[in-house]
Amino acid sequence: MLRTLLAPTRTLMVLDDAESAAQVRPLLPAGTGCAVIVTSRSPLTALDGAHRFPLTPLSGEDSAALLRAVSGRDGLDAAHPLVELTGRLPLALRVVAARLAARRALTPDVLAGQLAATESRLHHLEYDDLSVRRSLAVAHDALAASDRRTDRDAALALCHIGALDLPSYGAPLLARLAGTYERRTESALDRLVDVALLEETAYGRYTPHDLVRDFARELATTAGQYHTIAATGPPTPAADAEPGNPTPASAATPTPTPTPATTPHSPPANAEPRTPTPSPAANPHSAPTRTEPPLPSPPTPPIPPWPGTPPAPSAPSPRSSNPVSTRTTGAARPPLNCPGMPRKLPPPTPSSVPKTPSPGVTWSWRTSSRW
């Protein structure tokens, strides 16, 4: 729809920091009276009908002119150390000029000394929202988070470049360091050239910019610390560590010494003699100690049977000499010849018989074995 609306018009469109040709192609107007200016880290050679203008670092004279125009300081020429310490990159020159314009007491010579004295110049090349480190990190993070394997290999190759810190690099050396194939490493280095993080000075030879080299060194240092912590774990501070001495001498692990063999009844060779502890004298005026007996534990109530469960058959009496002590069609009965019971029960006494039984009732006496 955008291309249709812009087709009959005369429009100049600016697309800044394009990622790839596929991102730019749908936005190109269809009319002949429109033009598009695209800035990108990639060469975008896949776009048809485009005129490419690669941007190289500025010359010495152009760098000095940019410093004088933005900072308002006179006397800055191409031979000044700030020109080379910034790598003649427009963003780095802009940051240095902004710092000189913000602080009139900061002279160009003092700032040049700060950039030359530190191991990494990226710390001094930041001001407000301008940062060389952040600009390089955007390109690196986009490669590391990409779905393409070549992009992720390129981010890892940049970390290896910072670990080696050589003037130039080749694919065989980095492939041996990364443990991958040479062709795969060469594709990763070509990808770094596409995003302007490396420069191919000759076929198969790659050289990073000085500021890119500082950024790669920071990546290698951070990756080394991460792998060290991942392998050994974070350091655990000791309990008696002081703020000025995080690792006291007492936290060191002593070297174990072999222990001589001992018998079960003999003390170790290096054991100190034990002094018996005298018992305290009894006080005749003290009250006697009373020991209370332990309280009995409450009885455990029986568990009621589950509803509908038939009662379990009772076990035979251990005192019975008759192995068959229960009836087959009735409840369990004790044998009649149990010890302690008479073999014949005495007849009922006449006093227990009613003298005048009721009519229609027949009385009978039965000797029950439950007695």
Side-chain angles (χ1 to χ4, degrees):
M1 183 177 180
L2 177 64
R3 301 180 62 184
T4 304
L5 292 177
L6 296 179
T9 63
R10 298 178 58 85
T11 305
L12 176 62
M13 182 184 300
V14 178
L15 303 178
D16 185 30
D17 198 10
E19 182 179 358
S20 61
Q23 188 181 21
V24 176
R25 194 175 289 111
L27 302 177
L28 298 178
T32 58
C34 299
V36 180
I37 298 177
V38 183
T39 63
S40 176
R41 300 176 184 270
S42 302
L44 302 181
T45 54
L47 287 178
D48 299 331
H51 299 277
R52 284 170 292 277
F53 300 93
L55 299 179
T56 59
L58 300 178
S59 62
E61 293 296 336
D62 294 340
S63 300
L66 179 60
L67 287 176
R68 290 192 301 267
V70 178
S71 65
R73 306 291 183 95
D74 298 331
L76 293 174
D77 53 4
H80 198 276
L82 284 179
V83 176
E84 295 300 329
L85 289 174
T86 55
R88 294 182 284 116
L89 291 180
L91 180 59
L93 292 168
R94 183 67 178 82
V95 173
V96 169
R99 293 188 61 185
L100 292 175
R103 299 180 59 186
R104 304 304 300 179
L106 180 63
T107 62
D109 296 337
V110 173
L111 183 56
Q114 293 178 358
L115 293 175
T118 57
E119 182 180 358
S120 177
R121 290 167 285 181
L122 299 180
H123 176 70
H124 297 282
L125 296 179
E126 293 182 353
Y127 183 78
D128 202 0
D129 60 339
L130 302 177
S131 174
V132 176
R133 178 189 287 111
R134 191 180 305 117
S135 176
L136 297 175
V138 169
H140 171 265
D141 295 345
L143 293 175
S146 176
D147 296 335
R148 299 176 55 189
R149 187 186 67 177
T150 305
D151 292 348
R152 297 193 300 269
D153 292 344
L156 185 60
L158 185 62
C159 181
H160 291 158
I161 288 174
L164 289 178
D165 198 8
L166 298 176
S168 61
Y169 305 87
L173 178 61
L174 293 176
R176 179 66 62 87
L177 183 61
T180 58
Y181 296 103
E182 184 176 341
R183 183 180 302 177
R184 180 174 174 179
T185 304
E186 186 176 356
S187 300
L189 294 176
D190 292 340
R191 182 58 180 154
L192 290 177
V193 174
D194 292 341
V195 296
L197 292 178
L198 283 183
E199 181 182 357
E200 191 175 10
T201 56
Y203 182 75
R205 302 302 301 177
Y206 304 89
T207 303
H209 190 273
D210 292 341
L211 298 181
V212 176
R213 189 188 304 273
D214 293 342
F215 178 73
R217 190 182 298 113
E218 290 183 358
L219 289 178
T221 304
T222 305
Q225 293 176 356
Y226 171 77
H227 289 305
T228 301
I229 293 177
T232 61
T236 304
D240 55 346
E242 298 179 0
N245 186 17
T247 307
S250 61
T253 303
T255 303
T257 57
T259 304
T262 58
T263 59
H265 302 286
S266 62
N270 56 353
E272 298 181 359
R274 299 180 59 183
T275 304
T277 304
S279 58
N283 188 2
H285 301 285
S286 60
T289 305
R290 181 178 179 181
T291 304
E292 296 290 341
L295 297 177
S297 58
T300 304
I303 301 177
W306 189 261
T309 304
S314 58
S317 175
R319 296 182 300 175
S320 173
S321 60
N322 186 7
V324 182
S325 59
T326 58
R327 298 184 181 180
T328 57
T329 58
R333 294 175 179 269
L336 297 178
N337 55 351
C338 291
M341 295 183 61
R343 295 184 177 271
K344 294 183 179 181
L345 298 179
T349 57
S351 59
S352 60
V353 180
K355 296 182 180 181
T356 55
S358 303
V361 177
T362 304
W363 293 91
S364 63
W365 292 268
R366 181 181 179 183
T367 303
S368 176
S369 63
R370 293 184 181 274
W371 293 358

